[in-house]
Amino acid sequence: MKINRNFDSLAESYLFARVAEKTQAYAAAHPDRKLIKMGIGDVTLPLAPAVVEAMKKAADEMADKSTFKGYPEYEGYDFLREAISRYYGSFGVSVSPDEVFVNDGAKSDCGNIGDIFSPDCTVLVTDPVYPVYVDTNIMAGRKIVYAPSTRENGFCAMPDKSVHADIIYLCSPNNPTGAAYTAGQLKEWIEYALENDAVILYDAAYEAFISDDLPRSIFAVEGARKCAVEFCSLSKTAGFTGTRCGYTVIPNELEFDGHNIKKLWYRRQSSKFNGVSYPVQRAAEAVFSPEGMKQTRENIEYYKRNAAVIADTMERLGISYTGGRNSPYIWITCPNGMGSWEFFDFLLEKANVVATPGEGFGECGKGCMRFTSFADHSATVEAMERITKALHDA
Ligand SMILES: *Cc1c(COP(=O)(O)O)cnc(C)c1O
């Protein structure tokens, strides 16, 4: 028996382990200091009341023989696919219910979609990058090429026509940089994809954080239906990180290599996936109800107020940053030319604040730091005061 040797090519993922190790060592040596964690990549506010109510009601239905549900459909219940289709319509994007595949979160499908593409495909990712796109494709033995996101391009990597790719991962608003593409920039990526006969795998997990006039979906941009698949999730939209529900959108007409992509994906899902539980799909449906929308938006506004506090502080300190307006992430260039880990130590020791070193997300993240807006508001304000003081004292 031989294992899949592609696993040998995975880079050791030590970013969060090293952050935790350094943080614990500091806390143990200074038990009197109150550390503020601004590295959290998980939501912290509870589910909206309307969502919990729907989940409880569905649980009751499961307890009664006349309303009990067995296996759900592979692609999700119609009531949820229709709600998602109407949600797209609410920001002017036309997606029909039969183009929606309900899943247990965007992370799984971002990796699983690779099942339907050849291992010979070249995969393009932007750098810095959400590690899922890289690691899942290394496991499949694919070659990866990187498009640099830098200060010069506002951390919005753009296509290089001299580089060929078959699969293109884009994430906007971006994790980790918080930068979001304009419609014009996405149009350039779509043109590049069409010229290369490539598929764009578009991760819209943070679309609900967009408040500027920017596309909430790649399907808001002309040409996308001929080259793109979109992944979205209720994890950040509605605090579903522990509840698990997302959706993948595949246009009916999307074709590559003489094959209809939606059909292939249905074939793949029906072989490897038995759907999302009924109570969770009812909870997801409630997110899109008027009451659920109102309540989940309040939570997003809470995080966005935190993001604004962080962004304003960076502005005042003259530190260059992206994100914070259309994203829960604020991505900064470390001050005074400090490296990511050097500034990490500075923040930990001088301000007792923990953030995430940018170089953990790729070469182009060197010298950068990611702050998240998922902490409590008062802690966020205090962290920013401490950082301001530490930098003034330095
Ligand atoms: C959080 C996140 C997701 C969502 O993943 P789920 O599996 O739906 O929880 C997807 N993409 C990115 C870039 C994320 O940061």
Side-chain angles (χ1 to χ4, degrees):
M1 204 289 288
K2 285 185 180 163
I3 62 126
N4 174 356
R5 280 307 169 97
N6 295 322
F7 277 71
D8 294 342
S9 307
L10 293 170
E12 209 52 63
S13 136
Y14 68 97
L15 171 67
F16 290 99
R18 192 163 166 207
V19 165
E21 189 186 307
K22 277 176 171 275
T23 307
Q24 276 156 20
Y26 185 84
H30 307 273
D32 52 316
R33 308 276 171 85
K34 184 182 140 243
L35 297 182
I36 300 179
K37 297 191 175 156
M38 309 288 292
I40 322 168
D42 197 351
V43 296
T44 50
L45 294 174
L47 293 174
V51 169
V52 175
E53 209 174 293
M55 209 189 302
K56 284 181 179 166
K57 186 166 165 265
D60 286 339
E61 287 178 57
M62 296 299 267
D64 186 328
K65 191 159 194 277
S66 69
T67 47
F68 169 78
K69 302 273 189 292
Y71 286 120
E73 276 126 58
Y74 303 120
E75 67 275 41
Y77 284 109
D78 285 346
F79 63 76
L80 180 54
R81 301 169 86 201
E82 280 158 16
I84 292 167
S85 167
R86 284 195 299 276
Y87 177 63
Y88 271 98
S90 74
F91 47 82
V93 174
S94 171
V95 163
S96 86
D98 68 348
E99 295 174 321
V100 176
F101 288 80
V102 174
N103 59 33
D104 62 349
K107 185 181 189 172
S108 353
D109 278 10
C110 282
N112 291 342
I113 192 84
D115 277 5
I116 66 175
F117 302 120
S118 160
D120 301 333
C121 289
T122 296
V123 177
L124 182 149
V125 299
T126 63
D127 171 12
V129 64
Y130 180 54
V132 173
Y133 317 145
V134 173
D135 291 349
T136 54
N137 281 288
I138 286 178
M139 288 174 192
R142 295 197 183 92
K143 181 184 161 207
I144 316 269
V145 294
Y146 293 87
S149 297
T150 60
R151 234 175 109 169
E152 288 66 43
N153 60 30
F155 287 98
C156 286
M158 294 307 295
D160 173 349
K161 294 205 165 159
S162 69
V163 175
H164 172 77
D166 305 295
I167 298 173
I168 300 157
Y169 279 91
L170 297 178
C171 175
S172 178
N174 192 269
N175 179 9
T177 73
Y181 283 118
T182 63
Q185 289 172 322
L186 288 179
K187 185 90 188 95
E188 278 186 53
W189 277 110
I190 289 167
E191 279 160 12
Y192 168 82
L194 293 172
E195 277 162 28
N196 280 272
D197 188 33
V199 65
I200 294 178
L201 302 177
Y202 192 77
D203 186 342
Y206 296 95
E207 60 80 17
F209 286 80
I210 293 178
S211 37
D212 291 339
D213 184 21
L214 296 168
R216 301 262 299 265
S217 160
I218 194 162
F219 300 119
V221 185
E222 199 201 320
R225 291 184 61 92
K226 291 203 271 307
C227 62
V229 170
E230 180 160 296
F231 306 96
C232 201
S233 165
L234 297 181
S235 283
K236 316 305 169 11
T237 303
F240 268 51
T241 53
T243 305
R244 314 302 308 143
C245 195
Y247 45 96
T248 295
V249 175
I250 306 182
N252 280 321
E253 65 269 37
L254 189 65
E255 272 191 24
F256 286 100
D257 198 10
H259 283 70
N260 180 278
I261 298 303
K262 198 183 103 169
K263 275 197 193 132
L264 289 182
W265 185 241
Y266 183 85
R267 187 72 183 82
R268 187 269 173 210
Q269 288 297 79
S270 58
S271 301
K272 292 202 190 181
F273 185 62
N274 254 342
V276 175
S277 81
Y278 177 69
V280 167
Q281 292 199 54
R282 280 295 182 197
E285 179 193 26
V287 169
F288 301 107
S289 70
E291 198 58 24
M293 269 285 116
K294 187 173 156 284
Q295 293 167 353
T296 52
R297 291 293 139 158
E298 278 164 17
N299 288 0
I300 288 178
E301 287 310 316
Y302 180 94
Y303 298 135
K304 288 183 66 137
R305 278 194 294 279
N306 288 347
V309 168
I310 302 169
D312 288 350
T313 304
M314 298 308 154
E315 193 89 51
R316 230 175 301 118
L317 291 169
I319 292 173
S320 146
Y321 71 94
T322 49
R325 268 196 64 73
N326 300 297
S327 159
Y329 300 119
I330 293 88
W331 177 258
I332 72 157
T333 301
C334 300
N336 311 324
M338 275 189 263
S340 292
W341 285 104
E342 192 186 349
F343 189 50
F344 175 88
D345 291 339
F346 175 89
L347 288 175
L348 181 63
E349 288 160 21
K350 303 292 191 298
N352 300 157
V353 168
V354 182
T356 311
E359 70 176 81
F361 299 99
E363 275 295 305
C364 293
K366 281 194 168 147
C368 296
M369 186 71 73
R370 189 191 75 173
F371 289 86
T372 79
S373 61
F374 296 123
D376 284 341
H377 189 69
S378 58
T380 303
V381 171
E382 189 180 336
M384 292 303 114
E385 285 166 3
R386 289 188 196 170
I387 292 171
T388 303
K389 182 165 184 307
L391 283 170
H392 281 154
D393 291 351

